[in-house]
Amino acid sequence: MLGDSHVQALLAARHPDPFSVLGLHPEEDGQMWLRVVWPSVAAIDVLDAKTGKKLVGLNHRDPDGFFEAPIPRRKQRFAYRLKLYDPQGLVFGEVADAYAFGPQLPEAELLALKAGRHPRPYTVLGAHAVVQQGVPGVRFAVWAPTAKRVSVVGDFNQWDGRRHPMRYRHEAGVWEIFVPHVIEGDLYKFEVLSRDGRLLPLKADPYARAAQLRPDNASKVAPMPPVRKLPQGRADANRRDAPISIYEVHAPSWRRLGSGPFPSWDDLAEALPAYVADMGFTHVELLPITEHPYDGSWGYQTLGQYAASARFGSPDGLARFVDACHARGLGVLLDWVPAHFPSDGHGLAQFDGTALYEYGDPREGVHRDWNTLIPNFGRYEVREFLVGSALFWTERYAVDGLRVDAVASMLYRDYSRPSGEWVPNVHGGRENLEAIALLQQVNRVLGTEAPGSVTIAEESTAFPKVSAPTDVGGLGFHYKWNMGWMNDTLAYMREDPVHRRWHHDKMTFGLVYAFNENFVLPISHDEVVHGKGSMIAKMPGDDWQRFANLRAYYGFMWGHPGKKLLFMGQEFAQPDEWHHDAHLPWRRLDDPRHAGVQALVRDLNRVYRTQPALHRLDCEAEGFEWIARDEADTSVLAWVRRDGQGHAVIVACNFTPVPREGYRLGVPPGASAWREVLNTDSSHYGGSNVGNRDAALPVENLPAHGRDLSIVMTLPPLATVYLVAV
């Protein structure tokens, strides 16, 4: 018979080792005793699992739910079942006992987890449907090294932490249990008792693959997605010599689809890939689709690094969406957020009653800008958690890559912190060496385990070698957002054309460093929120000039070295700034001016993709040469793009409303004439139709712009034109 202190500890869910007393255990006299804690039942019979015969009825020793009895004529452990009776004496189940099963995780797996060397921690931690000794159920495992007790609670045990206290595996600080008869779709959380005796808010599973729709926040048992490879050809489409034009999307507000407040993945799969492909983009990038509690964070305050948000339906729908994009020739990029997480009680914050996932010192562990917590990048298990998440999305959903959010905030310990309120690194510097190591590890792992996928850094500083390989000291990203280019050029475009001559360098400075990294030119969601206005709202002048300026700017952007990114709605000049809880104003396409901008973006993508000179050497200095760089007085810019194989495109911009007829432009040798292939002032796009039409512009032996050869052309007002050799 179990001592009273043990019984009371079990019923208070404070026993240090419930597996040592619950289930079958031999006593000193050689008898096998069976003990069960089940508060909601009135009586329990023990059955032989092989024959189904009753062996004994357990004594209801404590009315709070403790049962025990010796098993007659049994000296060894055996397979048994529990027959449960309610207070009316009715049978309501025959079940296996969670405490009849031994340790779940192999020692090697636990040691790898503890050392931060496990390549796929998501295959070990979390909830996994398995069969043990012929019994189906779910294996739960969670990392909580300083907790005094952890129980898994859910629908299957009336959310009662006394029912399934877990086994502590001291090697790795992991708690585990196999719970029979739990099935996929069941809800669960972890009940954690801290080392100082506090019962914490119920915690969602950090490794959950599905969760409830907010405001509910329980984790949901979900199948492990199968390993999926990128389709043939996708790796080539993600290379730096390929055309990459990204359509950035906030899925809930893109377009009203379906009957609910959020589109399902299948709704999106039916509509979004077709539109993006028709527009000529090569990739679609989704703002974070990982589970998050607050819609207004747009997904950037995620708590479910492994769970696709319930807003869009079940996770398998995401796989179908990715397949639909790939079928249209589109790549899929996901925004991934390892830099911070919110402090909601059910999440990672103080997970076991201590600063486990976050830095303990608020000078390291709190993001002032977002009022969020910063992961402890120096802790092996935390880095493993994040690296595993990156691999999970690329390996299990076959996405083409990850755009990593807020990299700048990760790289520097003094990011957005005043002097004296940050902790230097071990060398006394400001760089976060642990975060740097994490980013390098992510990129190495993906390069090895998910070949063909790419990573893109949102990084706004001059940190060196962001897109250089890790073996030469780089961070290992494939691409980096060019935030400096974006800020400079938009500042220029806001100026009235009469003042642009004084700001000409803002349009040229980006070429000073354009090939230091593999750049993406981003006009992202961040540029059209929080009072910044939409793209068309940034443009000066009357309505005609505003639309002409925007078209000219897009022409400049698509002709400039670097991959392209445009946030949804800006392709048709959405008039108001974006808001996450309103759908895009598609009715604006009834206005020819908005439809014209959309037609221009479609044609820019077409020309960008079909003219190798505009993309093949996007990231190489050999692919660019200035023609007219210093004509500040006329606000004219012109350059040559090359593909390294003999093809060239000339891009010429006029950022004043003055048409320049008879403009002599120096041209490279090798062609007898040049022809206009795109003009942002075309009437097709809502422009004034000034330009060079389809006429061949003959090359003359007259010098211009320091060149021996030139052509005479018309530069339309507030316009960009592309010329190709005839």
mmCIF file of all heavy atoms in Angstrom, residues 511 515 561 620-629 638-642 649-651 667-669 705-707:
data_model
loop_
_atom_site.group_PDB
_atom_site.id
_atom_site.type_symbol
_atom_site.label_atom_id
_atom_site.label_comp_id
_atom_site.label_asym_id
_atom_site.label_seq_id
_atom_site.Cartn_x
_atom_site.Cartn_y
_atom_site.Cartn_z
ATOM 1 N N LEU A 511 24.076 52.795 -56.597
ATOM 2 C CA LEU A 511 24.984 52.069 -57.489
ATOM 3 C C LEU A 511 26.406 52.045 -56.965
ATOM 4 O O LEU A 511 27.241 51.287 -57.469
ATOM 5 C CB LEU A 511 24.939 52.676 -58.884
ATOM 6 C CG LEU A 511 23.864 52.105 -59.835
ATOM 7 C CD1 LEU A 511 23.997 50.597 -59.972
ATOM 8 C CD2 LEU A 511 22.476 52.471 -59.384
ATOM 9 N N PHE A 515 26.592 46.169 -55.758
ATOM 10 C CA PHE A 515 27.077 44.811 -55.999
ATOM 11 C C PHE A 515 27.899 44.282 -54.824
ATOM 12 O O PHE A 515 28.572 43.263 -54.944
ATOM 13 C CB PHE A 515 27.877 44.786 -57.304
ATOM 14 C CG PHE A 515 27.114 45.406 -58.446
ATOM 15 C CD1 PHE A 515 27.469 46.654 -58.945
ATOM 16 C CD2 PHE A 515 25.993 44.779 -58.970
ATOM 17 C CE1 PHE A 515 26.743 47.243 -59.973
ATOM 18 C CE2 PHE A 515 25.257 45.369 -59.991
ATOM 19 C CZ PHE A 515 25.631 46.607 -60.494
ATOM 20 N N PRO A 561 19.643 47.394 -61.267
ATOM 21 C CA PRO A 561 20.150 46.099 -60.807
ATOM 22 C C PRO A 561 19.530 45.703 -59.473
ATOM 23 O O PRO A 561 19.340 46.529 -58.571
ATOM 24 C CB PRO A 561 21.659 46.348 -60.652
ATOM 25 C CG PRO A 561 21.958 47.490 -61.555
ATOM 26 C CD PRO A 561 20.727 48.356 -61.537
ATOM 27 N N GLU A 620 25.826 41.468 -60.355
ATOM 28 C CA GLU A 620 27.208 41.546 -60.823
ATOM 29 C C GLU A 620 27.479 42.916 -61.416
ATOM 30 O O GLU A 620 26.701 43.434 -62.216
ATOM 31 C CB GLU A 620 27.470 40.478 -61.894
ATOM 32 C CG GLU A 620 27.044 39.074 -61.532
ATOM 33 C CD GLU A 620 27.907 38.453 -60.459
ATOM 34 O OE1 GLU A 620 29.021 38.967 -60.242
ATOM 35 O OE2 GLU A 620 27.463 37.472 -59.832
ATOM 36 N N ALA A 621 28.620 43.492 -61.063
ATOM 37 C CA ALA A 621 28.983 44.820 -61.586
ATOM 38 C C ALA A 621 29.120 44.807 -63.101
ATOM 39 O O ALA A 621 28.880 45.830 -63.763
ATOM 40 C CB ALA A 621 30.284 45.282 -60.937
ATOM 41 N N GLU A 622 29.478 43.648 -63.657
ATOM 42 C CA GLU A 622 29.651 43.561 -65.114
ATOM 43 C C GLU A 622 28.349 43.765 -65.866
ATOM 44 O O GLU A 622 28.358 43.987 -67.076
ATOM 45 C CB GLU A 622 30.256 42.204 -65.485
ATOM 46 C CG GLU A 622 31.669 41.981 -64.970
ATOM 47 C CD GLU A 622 31.736 41.648 -63.493
ATOM 48 O OE1 GLU A 622 30.669 41.349 -62.904
ATOM 49 O OE2 GLU A 622 32.846 41.675 -62.936
ATOM 50 N N GLY A 623 27.222 43.687 -65.158
ATOM 51 C CA GLY A 623 25.931 43.820 -65.822
ATOM 52 C C GLY A 623 25.407 45.233 -65.889
ATOM 53 O O GLY A 623 24.289 45.450 -66.389
ATOM 54 N N PHE A 624 26.199 46.207 -65.404
ATOM 55 C CA PHE A 624 25.702 47.591 -65.353
ATOM 56 C C PHE A 624 26.792 48.563 -65.804
ATOM 57 O O PHE A 624 27.966 48.400 -65.486
ATOM 58 C CB PHE A 624 25.294 47.941 -63.930
ATOM 59 C CG PHE A 624 24.848 49.363 -63.762
ATOM 60 C CD1 PHE A 624 23.523 49.713 -63.984
ATOM 61 C CD2 PHE A 624 25.753 50.361 -63.424
ATOM 62 C CE1 PHE A 624 23.107 51.034 -63.853
ATOM 63 C CE2 PHE A 624 25.357 51.678 -63.283
ATOM 64 C CZ PHE A 624 24.035 52.018 -63.501
ATOM 65 N N GLU A 625 26.345 49.592 -66.536
ATOM 66 C CA GLU A 625 27.265 50.678 -66.919
ATOM 67 C C GLU A 625 26.462 51.965 -67.075
ATOM 68 O O GLU A 625 25.430 51.997 -67.753
ATOM 69 C CB GLU A 625 27.972 50.346 -68.241
ATOM 70 C CG GLU A 625 28.999 51.376 -68.644
ATOM 71 C CD GLU A 625 29.679 51.051 -69.972
ATOM 72 O OE1 GLU A 625 29.366 49.982 -70.551
ATOM 73 O OE2 GLU A 625 30.491 51.858 -70.438
ATOM 74 N N TRP A 626 26.956 53.022 -66.434
ATOM 75 C CA TRP A 626 26.294 54.316 -66.558
ATOM 76 C C TRP A 626 26.458 54.888 -67.960
ATOM 77 O O TRP A 626 27.497 54.722 -68.603
ATOM 78 C CB TRP A 626 26.888 55.329 -65.583
ATOM 79 C CG TRP A 626 26.373 55.252 -64.172
ATOM 80 C CD1 TRP A 626 27.068 54.875 -63.063
ATOM 81 C CD2 TRP A 626 25.058 55.578 -63.733
ATOM 82 N NE1 TRP A 626 26.275 54.928 -61.954
ATOM 83 C CE2 TRP A 626 25.023 55.367 -62.328
ATOM 84 C CE3 TRP A 626 23.905 56.018 -64.377
ATOM 85 C CZ2 TRP A 626 23.888 55.589 -61.568
ATOM 86 C CZ3 TRP A 626 22.771 56.236 -63.621
ATOM 87 C CH2 TRP A 626 22.762 56.021 -62.243
ATOM 88 N N ILE A 627 25.425 55.574 -68.432
ATOM 89 C CA ILE A 627 25.527 56.434 -69.604
ATOM 90 C C ILE A 627 25.421 57.894 -69.154
ATOM 91 O O ILE A 627 26.334 58.691 -69.355
ATOM 92 C CB ILE A 627 24.425 56.126 -70.640
ATOM 93 C CG1 ILE A 627 24.583 54.713 -71.203
ATOM 94 C CG2 ILE A 627 24.470 57.155 -71.780
ATOM 95 C CD1 ILE A 627 23.471 54.297 -72.145
ATOM 96 N N ALA A 628 24.298 58.226 -68.519
ATOM 97 C CA ALA A 628 24.085 59.593 -68.018
ATOM 98 C C ALA A 628 23.816 59.510 -66.526
ATOM 99 O O ALA A 628 22.739 59.098 -66.112
ATOM 100 C CB ALA A 628 22.921 60.254 -68.741
ATOM 101 N N ARG A 629 24.828 59.887 -65.737
ATOM 102 C CA ARG A 629 24.703 59.814 -64.295
ATOM 103 C C ARG A 629 24.617 61.197 -63.656
ATOM 104 O O ARG A 629 24.027 61.350 -62.586
ATOM 105 C CB ARG A 629 25.902 59.066 -63.706
ATOM 106 C CG ARG A 629 25.887 58.957 -62.191
ATOM 107 C CD ARG A 629 27.110 58.240 -61.674
ATOM 108 N NE ARG A 629 28.353 58.895 -62.101
ATOM 109 C CZ ARG A 629 29.571 58.397 -61.913
ATOM 110 N NH1 ARG A 629 29.717 57.227 -61.334
ATOM 111 N NH2 ARG A 629 30.642 59.063 -62.328
ATOM 112 N N ALA A 638 20.472 57.587 -67.253
ATOM 113 C CA ALA A 638 20.479 56.543 -68.286
ATOM 114 C C ALA A 638 21.628 55.592 -68.018
ATOM 115 O O ALA A 638 22.696 56.000 -67.554
ATOM 116 C CB ALA A 638 20.588 57.150 -69.672
ATOM 117 N N TRP A 639 21.385 54.317 -68.313
ATOM 118 C CA TRP A 639 22.416 53.305 -68.105
ATOM 119 C C TRP A 639 22.181 52.124 -69.038
ATOM 120 O O TRP A 639 21.131 52.013 -69.681
ATOM 121 C CB TRP A 639 22.453 52.840 -66.657
ATOM 122 C CG TRP A 639 21.177 52.204 -66.146
ATOM 123 C CD1 TRP A 639 20.793 50.916 -66.251
ATOM 124 C CD2 TRP A 639 20.113 52.874 -65.448
ATOM 125 N NE1 TRP A 639 19.574 50.706 -65.662
ATOM 126 C CE2 TRP A 639 19.139 51.895 -65.143
ATOM 127 C CE3 TRP A 639 19.903 54.203 -65.036
ATOM 128 C CZ2 TRP A 639 17.965 52.217 -64.482
ATOM 129 C CZ3 TRP A 639 18.741 54.497 -64.352
ATOM 130 C CH2 TRP A 639 17.775 53.509 -64.076
ATOM 131 N N VAL A 640 23.156 51.251 -69.082
ATOM 132 C CA VAL A 640 23.082 50.026 -69.883
ATOM 133 C C VAL A 640 23.054 48.830 -68.932
ATOM 134 O O VAL A 640 23.823 48.766 -67.982
ATOM 135 C CB VAL A 640 24.291 49.891 -70.828
ATOM 136 C CG1 VAL A 640 24.148 48.627 -71.697
ATOM 137 C CG2 VAL A 640 24.459 51.109 -71.700
ATOM 138 N N ARG A 641 22.169 47.888 -69.203
ATOM 139 C CA ARG A 641 22.176 46.589 -68.529
ATOM 140 C C ARG A 641 22.639 45.541 -69.529
ATOM 141 O O ARG A 641 22.224 45.552 -70.687
ATOM 142 C CB ARG A 641 20.776 46.238 -68.020
ATOM 143 C CG ARG A 641 20.224 47.180 -66.970
ATOM 144 C CD ARG A 641 20.984 47.097 -65.648
ATOM 145 N NE ARG A 641 21.126 45.748 -65.147
ATOM 146 C CZ ARG A 641 20.188 45.082 -64.476
ATOM 147 N NH1 ARG A 641 19.027 45.687 -64.202
ATOM 148 N NH2 ARG A 641 20.390 43.846 -64.057
ATOM 149 N N ARG A 642 23.495 44.625 -69.077
ATOM 150 C CA ARG A 642 24.049 43.583 -69.940
ATOM 151 C C ARG A 642 23.860 42.213 -69.306
ATOM 152 O O ARG A 642 23.758 42.093 -68.084
ATOM 153 C CB ARG A 642 25.536 43.835 -70.178
ATOM 154 C CG ARG A 642 25.845 45.085 -71.004
ATOM 155 C CD ARG A 642 27.322 45.094 -71.412
ATOM 156 N NE ARG A 642 27.601 46.164 -72.354
ATOM 157 C CZ ARG A 642 27.965 47.383 -72.018
ATOM 158 N NH1 ARG A 642 28.076 47.708 -70.740
ATOM 159 N NH2 ARG A 642 28.216 48.290 -72.943
ATOM 160 N N VAL A 649 20.284 46.143 -72.716
ATOM 161 C CA VAL A 649 19.094 46.986 -72.654
ATOM 162 C C VAL A 649 19.535 48.338 -72.111
ATOM 163 O O VAL A 649 20.295 48.412 -71.144
ATOM 164 C CB VAL A 649 18.006 46.393 -71.732
ATOM 165 C CG1 VAL A 649 16.848 47.372 -71.562
ATOM 166 C CG2 VAL A 649 17.499 45.067 -72.281
ATOM 167 N N ILE A 650 19.081 49.421 -72.777
ATOM 168 C CA ILE A 650 19.327 50.770 -72.283
ATOM 169 C C ILE A 650 18.089 51.230 -71.528
ATOM 170 O O ILE A 650 16.955 51.069 -71.999
ATOM 171 C CB ILE A 650 19.644 51.742 -73.434
ATOM 172 C CG1 ILE A 650 21.000 51.410 -74.054
ATOM 173 C CG2 ILE A 650 19.638 53.189 -72.944
ATOM 174 C CD1 ILE A 650 21.335 52.249 -75.282
ATOM 175 N N VAL A 651 18.301 51.774 -70.340
ATOM 176 C CA VAL A 651 17.226 52.333 -69.523
ATOM 177 C C VAL A 651 17.465 53.834 -69.401
ATOM 178 O O VAL A 651 18.571 54.261 -69.039
ATOM 179 C CB VAL A 651 17.202 51.693 -68.120
ATOM 180 C CG1 VAL A 651 16.076 52.279 -67.273
ATOM 181 C CG2 VAL A 651 17.064 50.178 -68.225
ATOM 182 N N VAL A 667 25.499 55.688 -76.769
ATOM 183 C CA VAL A 667 25.145 54.270 -76.743
ATOM 184 C C VAL A 667 26.396 53.421 -76.917
ATOM 185 O O VAL A 667 27.395 53.873 -77.478
ATOM 186 C CB VAL A 667 24.119 53.929 -77.848
ATOM 187 C CG1 VAL A 667 22.810 54.663 -77.622
ATOM 188 C CG2 VAL A 667 24.682 54.229 -79.231
ATOM 189 N N PRO A 668 26.359 52.200 -76.445
ATOM 190 C CA PRO A 668 27.507 51.306 -76.620
ATOM 191 C C PRO A 668 27.591 50.829 -78.065
ATOM 192 O O PRO A 668 26.597 50.844 -78.804
ATOM 193 C CB PRO A 668 27.197 50.158 -75.669
ATOM 194 C CG PRO A 668 25.715 50.144 -75.543
ATOM 195 C CD PRO A 668 25.292 51.568 -75.650
ATOM 196 N N PRO A 669 28.781 50.381 -78.484
ATOM 197 C CA PRO A 669 28.927 49.865 -79.851
ATOM 198 C C PRO A 669 28.266 48.503 -80.002
ATOM 199 O O PRO A 669 27.902 47.857 -79.018
ATOM 200 C CB PRO A 669 30.449 49.764 -80.017
ATOM 201 C CG PRO A 669 30.966 49.565 -78.621
ATOM 202 C CD PRO A 669 30.046 50.354 -77.733
ATOM 203 N N HIS A 705 27.845 61.797 -74.121
ATOM 204 C CA HIS A 705 28.046 61.138 -72.824
ATOM 205 C C HIS A 705 29.364 60.367 -72.756
ATOM 206 O O HIS A 705 29.443 59.270 -72.191
ATOM 207 C CB HIS A 705 26.874 60.198 -72.507
ATOM 208 C CG HIS A 705 25.570 60.903 -72.371
ATOM 209 N ND1 HIS A 705 24.577 60.808 -73.324
ATOM 210 C CD2 HIS A 705 25.089 61.750 -71.412
ATOM 211 C CE1 HIS A 705 23.535 61.545 -72.952
ATOM 212 N NE2 HIS A 705 23.833 62.132 -71.791
ATOM 213 N N GLY A 706 30.400 60.946 -73.409
ATOM 214 C CA GLY A 706 31.714 60.331 -73.376
ATOM 215 C C GLY A 706 31.853 59.123 -74.264
ATOM 216 O O GLY A 706 32.818 58.369 -74.136
ATOM 217 N N ARG A 707 30.909 58.901 -75.146
ATOM 218 C CA ARG A 707 30.940 57.755 -76.055
ATOM 219 C C ARG A 707 31.065 58.235 -77.496
ATOM 220 O O ARG A 707 30.659 59.345 -77.838
ATOM 221 C CB ARG A 707 29.674 56.904 -75.884
ATOM 222 C CG ARG A 707 29.528 56.332 -74.480
ATOM 223 C CD ARG A 707 28.177 55.670 -74.278
ATOM 224 N NE ARG A 707 28.055 55.120 -72.926
ATOM 225 C CZ ARG A 707 28.431 53.891 -72.588
ATOM 226 N NH1 ARG A 707 28.916 53.076 -73.526
ATOM 227 N NH2 ARG A 707 28.318 53.481 -71.345
#
